[in-house]
Amino acid sequence: MKYHVQVFVSLKPSILDPQGRTVERALSHLGHENVSGVRVGKLVEMVMEGERAAVEAQARALAETVLSNPVMESFRVEVRELAGA
Amino acid sequence: MKYHVQVFVSLKPSILDPQGRTVERALSHLGHENVSGVRVGKLVEMVMEGERAAVEAQARALAETVLSNPVMESFRVEVRELAGA
Protein backbone atom coordinates (compact mmCIF):
# COMPACT_ATOMS: atom_id res chain seq x y z
CA MET A 1 0.00 0.00 0.00
CA LYS A 2 1.22 3.57 -0.75
CA TYR A 3 0.83 6.47 1.68
CA HIS A 4 1.11 10.26 1.26
CA VAL A 5 3.23 11.41 4.22
CA GLN A 6 3.50 15.02 5.37
CA VAL A 7 6.08 16.13 7.92
CA PHE A 8 5.53 19.60 9.38
CA VAL A 9 8.70 20.98 10.95
CA SER A 10 8.60 24.19 13.00
CA LEU A 11 11.05 25.99 15.23
CA LYS A 12 10.32 25.43 18.92
CA PRO A 13 8.43 28.42 20.46
CA SER A 14 11.43 29.36 22.62
CA ILE A 15 13.66 29.75 19.55
CA LEU A 16 13.88 33.16 17.85
CA ASP A 17 12.53 32.97 14.30
CA PRO A 18 14.22 35.74 12.26
CA GLN A 19 12.46 34.66 9.06
CA GLY A 20 9.09 34.85 10.78
CA ARG A 21 9.97 38.27 12.26
CA THR A 22 10.91 39.57 8.80
CA VAL A 23 7.63 38.39 7.28
CA GLU A 24 5.71 39.90 10.22
CA ARG A 25 7.37 43.30 9.76
CA ALA A 26 6.71 43.21 6.01
CA LEU A 27 3.03 42.42 6.62
CA SER A 28 2.83 45.24 9.13
CA HIS A 29 4.32 47.70 6.60
CA LEU A 30 1.68 46.50 4.14
CA GLY A 31 -0.99 47.47 6.64
CA HIS A 32 -1.80 44.03 8.05
CA GLU A 33 -1.79 45.14 11.69
CA ASN A 34 -4.00 42.23 12.84
CA VAL A 35 -1.31 39.66 12.12
CA SER A 36 1.11 38.48 14.84
CA GLY A 37 3.29 35.55 15.88
CA VAL A 38 4.45 34.70 12.35
CA ARG A 39 6.58 31.51 12.29
CA VAL A 40 8.10 30.00 9.14
CA GLY A 41 8.80 26.26 9.03
CA LYS A 42 9.23 23.37 6.59
CA LEU A 43 6.71 21.04 4.99
CA VAL A 44 8.23 17.81 3.62
CA GLU A 45 5.89 15.65 1.54
CA MET A 46 6.66 12.18 0.23
CA VAL A 47 5.17 8.88 -0.89
CA MET A 48 6.02 5.84 1.23
CA GLU A 49 5.23 2.23 0.43
CA GLY A 50 4.56 -0.48 2.98
CA GLU A 51 2.23 -1.56 5.75
CA ARG A 52 0.58 1.37 7.56
CA ALA A 53 2.04 0.87 11.06
CA ALA A 54 5.53 0.36 9.64
CA VAL A 55 5.21 3.47 7.43
CA GLU A 56 4.04 5.58 10.39
CA ALA A 57 6.94 4.39 12.57
CA GLN A 58 9.45 4.93 9.75
CA ALA A 59 8.05 8.42 8.99
CA ARG A 60 8.38 9.42 12.66
CA ALA A 61 11.94 8.11 12.76
CA LEU A 62 12.83 10.02 9.57
CA ALA A 63 11.23 13.18 10.93
CA GLU A 64 13.21 12.88 14.15
CA THR A 65 16.61 11.94 12.74
CA VAL A 66 16.83 13.33 9.18
CA LEU A 67 14.15 15.92 8.50
CA SER A 68 14.33 17.98 11.71
CA ASN A 69 16.83 19.15 14.28
CA PRO A 70 15.44 17.96 17.63
CA VAL A 71 17.42 20.63 19.51
CA MET A 72 15.64 23.54 17.84
CA GLU A 73 12.69 22.10 16.00
CA SER A 74 9.52 20.16 16.71
CA PHE A 75 7.64 18.12 14.11
CA ARG A 76 4.23 16.66 13.35
CA VAL A 77 3.61 13.73 10.96
CA GLU A 78 0.45 13.07 8.96
CA VAL A 79 -0.01 9.81 7.01
CA ARG A 80 -2.83 9.42 4.47
CA GLU A 81 -3.60 6.47 2.21
CA LEU A 82 -2.83 7.34 -1.39
CA ALA A 83 -6.02 6.87 -3.38
CA GLY A 84 -5.80 4.28 -6.14
CA ALA A 85 -2.28 3.11 -5.26
CA MET B 1 -11.74 36.67 17.78
CA LYS B 2 -8.22 35.30 17.21
CA TYR B 3 -7.41 32.57 14.68
CA HIS B 4 -4.40 30.30 14.17
CA VAL B 5 -3.69 30.42 10.46
CA GLN B 6 -1.48 27.94 8.60
CA VAL B 7 -0.36 28.52 5.02
CA PHE B 8 1.17 25.49 3.29
CA VAL B 9 3.22 26.50 0.25
CA SER B 10 4.55 23.83 -2.15
CA LEU B 11 6.21 23.92 -5.53
CA LYS B 12 3.81 23.03 -8.34
CA PRO B 13 4.22 19.37 -9.46
CA SER B 14 5.61 20.45 -12.84
CA ILE B 15 8.44 22.38 -11.20
CA LEU B 16 11.73 20.57 -10.47
CA ASP B 17 12.39 20.42 -6.72
CA PRO B 18 16.18 20.14 -6.21
CA GLN B 19 15.80 20.26 -2.43
CA GLY B 20 13.32 17.39 -2.52
CA ARG B 21 15.59 15.41 -4.86
CA THR B 22 18.54 15.88 -2.50
CA VAL B 23 16.54 14.66 0.49
CA GLU B 24 15.27 11.71 -1.55
CA ARG B 25 18.80 10.66 -2.53
CA ALA B 26 19.99 10.99 1.06
CA LEU B 27 17.14 8.80 2.27
CA SER B 28 17.94 6.23 -0.40
CA HIS B 29 21.61 6.15 0.68
CA LEU B 30 20.36 5.57 4.23
CA GLY B 31 18.46 2.53 2.98
CA HIS B 32 14.96 4.01 2.79
CA GLU B 33 14.17 2.53 -0.63
CA ASN B 34 10.39 2.72 -0.10
CA VAL B 35 10.36 6.53 -0.13
CA SER B 36 9.70 8.49 -3.34
CA GLY B 37 8.38 11.82 -4.63
CA VAL B 38 9.96 13.90 -1.84
CA ARG B 39 8.90 17.57 -2.07
CA VAL B 40 10.04 20.30 0.32
CA GLY B 41 7.85 23.36 0.86
CA LYS B 42 7.10 26.10 3.38
CA LEU B 43 4.74 26.22 6.35
CA VAL B 44 3.88 29.75 7.52
CA GLU B 45 1.94 29.96 10.81
CA MET B 46 0.49 33.13 12.28
CA VAL B 47 -2.20 34.52 14.58
CA MET B 48 -4.79 36.76 12.95
CA GLU B 49 -7.44 38.80 14.70
CA GLY B 50 -10.85 39.66 13.29
CA GLU B 51 -14.11 38.17 12.10
CA ARG B 52 -13.75 34.67 10.62
CA ALA B 53 -14.80 35.35 7.04
CA ALA B 54 -12.60 38.44 6.86
CA VAL B 55 -9.62 36.57 8.32
CA GLU B 56 -10.05 33.73 5.81
CA ALA B 57 -10.23 36.14 2.88
CA GLN B 58 -7.23 38.11 4.15
CA ALA B 59 -5.21 34.92 4.74
CA ARG B 60 -5.89 33.74 1.17
CA ALA B 61 -4.89 37.13 -0.21
CA LEU B 62 -1.66 37.10 1.83
CA ALA B 63 -0.89 33.56 0.71
CA GLU B 64 -1.40 34.54 -2.91
CA THR B 65 0.43 37.87 -2.96
CA VAL B 66 3.08 37.79 -0.21
CA LEU B 67 3.73 34.26 1.03
CA SER B 68 3.88 32.37 -2.28
CA ASN B 69 4.99 32.84 -5.85
CA PRO B 70 1.92 31.98 -7.95
CA VAL B 71 4.09 31.21 -10.99
CA MET B 72 5.90 28.30 -9.32
CA GLU B 73 4.03 27.56 -6.13
CA SER B 74 0.58 26.50 -5.00
CA PHE B 75 -0.78 27.04 -1.50
CA ARG B 76 -3.38 25.78 0.94
CA VAL B 77 -4.77 27.79 3.88
CA GLU B 78 -6.13 26.39 7.16
CA VAL B 79 -7.84 28.65 9.70
CA ARG B 80 -8.57 27.42 13.24
CA GLU B 81 -10.10 29.31 16.12
CA LEU B 82 -7.52 30.00 18.80
CA ALA B 83 -8.78 28.44 22.03
CA GLY B 84 -9.27 30.89 24.87
CA ALA B 85 -8.52 33.98 22.79
Side-chain angles (χ1 to χ4, degrees), chain A residues 1-68:
Chain A
M1 181 64 78
K2 285 190 175 180
Y3 294 90
H4 180 239
V5 176
Q6 292 183 308
V7 178
F8 307 93
V9 180
S10 312
L11 284 170
K12 289 182 178 174
S14 55
I15 307 284
L16 178 69
D17 178 0
Q19 204 175 355
R21 278 285 176 81
T22 306
V23 171
E24 193 163 328
R25 265 200 305 271
L27 295 180
S28 172
H29 286 321
L30 291 169
H32 299 279
E33 303 296 346
N34 63 327
V35 177
S36 58
V38 179
R39 314 275 298 172
V40 178
K42 268 180 302 195
L43 162 59
V44 181
E45 300 182 84
M46 52 197 163
V47 174
M48 292 177 71
E49 197 156 357
E51 192 261 329
R52 180 163 195 127
V55 163
E56 282 179 353
Q58 183 186 5
R60 287 192 65 78
L62 287 179
E64 197 142 16
T65 56
V66 180
L67 301 176
S68 76

